[in-house]
Amino acid sequence: MADVEKAVPVAGPAEGAAAGRAGVVGAVLRQWRTQDLLDRSGSALRAGAWALSLLAFLVMACNEHGDWKQFDRYEEYRYIVAVGLLAFVYTTLQLLRQGVRLSGGQDLQPKTGLLVDFAGDQVTAYLMMSALSAAIPITSRMREGADNVFTDSSAASISMAFLAFVCLALSALISGFKLAKQTYI
């Protein structure tokens, strides 16, 4: 049937019901794809944070070149080592949890899991930013006086910590989005 005056086809009762079902199925499929994309991107960002925090930790922990060029003589560098290790452990546990979830194992309650993801990502990201911002001024002052392997390694560790922060901050955004979309009924 069609409206002759407006030249617009009008769906009959059977055609409208079929179109409604296709619209619902399409909406559900789009939601599943979006959820899958969010899960995959969250996992990829945590994997990136895992690798970068490990690099930040290892580069700074191996930064020992004798005399004043030892990371453990500076509390700012000890802080970045501690936070890098903490971020590495957190992302390792999150990746293991994601692996268990994907293999069909038991996970935390959905609401509890989303809160743990969001809070953990937030806290770890803020700690990473705090550690790297504490280490930047001392590295900058040292590089003014002498640009050497010690300061280069310190700058590399700070850079890796910053990139790990970016991954964790983006992961926190995704976790926050998933938490906000959660229904509490």
Side-chain angles (χ1 to χ4, degrees):
M1 296 176 18
D3 188 357
V4 180
E5 294 177 4
K6 297 180 184 172
V8 176
V10 176
E15 294 169 350
R21 279 185 297 223
V24 170
V25 170
V28 169
L29 288 175
R30 280 191 302 275
Q31 183 178 3
W32 284 350
R33 286 186 196 122
T34 302
Q35 186 65 31
D36 188 45
L37 178 66
L38 288 174
D39 288 340
R40 286 184 186 187
S41 59
S43 296
L45 287 167
R46 283 198 184 103
W50 177 83
L52 292 165
S53 62
L54 177 64
L55 280 173
F57 164 70
L58 288 176
V59 168
M60 188 60 81
C62 294
N63 197 6
E64 296 193 7
H65 301 286
D67 195 24
W68 63 270
K69 299 181 217 169
Q70 296 200 24
F71 86 92
D72 58 350
R73 294 188 59 175
Y74 305 96
E75 65 185 51
E76 296 89 346
Y77 293 156
R78 290 193 306 257
Y79 184 39
I80 205 166
V81 166
V83 171
L85 182 61
L86 179 93
F88 172 72
V89 169
Y90 167 74
T91 52
T92 299
L93 292 174
Q94 282 288 60
L95 288 172
L96 288 174
R97 191 172 141 235
Q98 181 71 18
V100 167
R101 191 178 327 145
L102 290 176
S103 67
Q106 184 67 21
D107 191 22
L108 300 172
Q109 295 289 330
K111 294 172 189 166
T112 306
L114 289 174
L115 282 171
V116 167
D117 290 347
F118 180 66
D121 289 347
Q122 285 280 329
V123 168
T124 309
Y126 282 126
L127 284 173
M128 286 300 280
M129 180 54 81
S130 172
L132 70 95
S133 65
I136 287 172
I138 193 168
T139 304
S140 180
R141 282 193 306 272
M142 285 183 188
R143 289 181 75 102
E144 288 174 2
D147 192 9
N148 53 36
V149 175
F150 179 73
T151 57
D152 289 344
S153 295
S154 300
S157 177
I158 291 168
S159 299
M160 295 301 117
F162 176 75
L163 294 174
F165 159 76
V166 169
C167 289
L168 286 167
L170 291 174
S171 179
L173 283 174
I174 290 172
S175 300
F177 177 76
K178 288 172 26 178
L179 185 64
K181 289 292 183 181
Q182 181 70 27
T183 59
Y184 292 101
I185 297 175

